[in-house]
Structures are given as C-alpha cells and as structure tokens.
Amino acid sequence: MTVFVAVLSVLVGALCLLNLLLTVGVIRRLKEHTALIGELRSSASGAPVQIMLPAGEEVGDFSARTTDGAAVSRGTLGGETLVGVFSPGCSACAEQMPLFTELAASFPGGRDRVLAVVVGDAEESAEEVAALTPVARVVQEAHGGDASAALGVNGFPALARIDAAGRVLASGYSVSDVEVLAGV
C-alpha cells in the first residue's frame, strides 16, 4: 500500500510540474502576442497605422442605400460631412459610438451632413443602426462594401471629416482625432 501511495504521489507531483511548465509557456506566448499586436497598431516610424484614408486624400466613388432607403454616394455628401464606420462586436466601436453620436448631434448641417456606415450582418448590426439613425444617414453593408472600400477603411472604428470636394480633412479611429485635426 505504501508503494502505491508513493507512486501516486510521484505521478501527482510530475503532473503538477508539467502543468507549471505549460502555464509558463502560455504566459510567455501571451507576452509575445501582446508585443506583436502593439507592433501592428503602429508603423515602423511609431506613428499610428492609418485606419482609413488620411487627410488630403480623395474619397473614391461609391453607391449605397441608407437604412431609410435613400441613395447615397460620394456626390450626395455635399458640404463638410462627418463620417463614422463601425462594426458590431467591436469594443473600440462601442467606446467611440456615444462620442460620435454626441458630435453628430451638434454637427453643422444636422443629420444630412453625417454619414454612418455599419459593416456587418444586418441582424448583428441592428443595435448600432438604431443608435446612429437619429443623428446620421446610416448605411448597413457587408465587409468589403462600396462605402467602406471608397473610404479606404482597414479597421474599426474609422472616423473622418470630408469636404464638399470629397477630400478627407481629418481621419482617425477616435472622435478626438477628428475634432483636433479638424479644429473643432
């Protein structure tokens, strides 16, 4: 019986040691992944990665329908326009959306000068569409849709101010980027 207990104790000890080694390995990998994610967020020069077209670039042509059924295109943006591109399930989008809706509510020209694009499945996007509809013309589209492609969106949230000629005045991934760069 004592031999059995001794063997069992050795096996349990070995199992605990193996568990400890695996945990240390997982922690090391998590640190590596955290560093890689940090590198993806910044370019080689240390500047933030451009989330959409930078200031001075021209928005491409696009054609879409708002959730209200109205046609929207680059030509219908007329005047300075505030643009926000969001995706359901995006934690940064959930953080920026209330700030965006607040800015949109006070934006000169009202709802007609604000365009919100929600990228994702219509069912998943319902909450975002409902939150944005009172303050913006809302386009709900699938990934790779016309509007987000024309804006050069490569991450979420993506925010911009666009002039009447379709040139980006300011862009970024937070409302403060757009406000500061645009002089609000």
Side-chain angles (χ1 to χ4, degrees), residues 159-172:
L159 309 170
R161 291 179 87 149
I162 300 169
D163 69 11
R167 291 217 176 270
V168 177
L169 299 172
S171 68

Side-chain angles (χ1 to χ4, degrees), residues 10-150:
V10 169
L11 286 175
V12 168
L15 188 59
C16 288
L17 184 60
L18 178 63
N19 187 28
L20 180 63
L21 291 173
L22 291 173
T23 302
V24 168
V26 167
I27 290 170
R28 184 174 293 138
R29 292 291 286 173
L30 283 173
K31 286 181 180 179
E32 290 173 10
H33 286 172
T34 301
L36 288 172
I37 290 170
E39 290 173 18
L40 287 175
R41 289 207 170 265
S42 63
S43 66
S45 66
V49 172
Q50 198 63 45
I51 200 84
M52 68 185 312
L53 294 174
E57 292 290 317
E58 193 170 310
V59 174
D61 290 328
F62 69 94
S63 176
R65 288 250 174 233
T66 66
T67 55
D68 298 336
V72 64
S73 65
R74 185 179 132 192
T76 64
L77 294 182
E80 188 173 321
T81 303
L82 176 65
V83 178
V85 185
F86 302 93
S87 181
C90 162
S91 61
C93 294
E95 180 182 311
Q96 291 298 312
M97 192 173 301
L99 301 171
F100 179 81
T101 57
E102 184 179 318
L103 178 60
S106 63
F107 197 76
R111 186 176 185 268
D112 291 337
R113 300 288 178 165
V114 181
L115 176 66
V117 180
V118 181
V119 178
D121 177 276
E123 187 176 304
E124 292 174 336
S125 304
E127 187 177 321
E128 288 80 3
V129 169
L132 292 164
T133 298
V135 296
R137 295 176 291 166
V138 180
V139 172
Q140 190 281 316
E141 66 182 15
H143 288 278
D146 278 356
S148 55

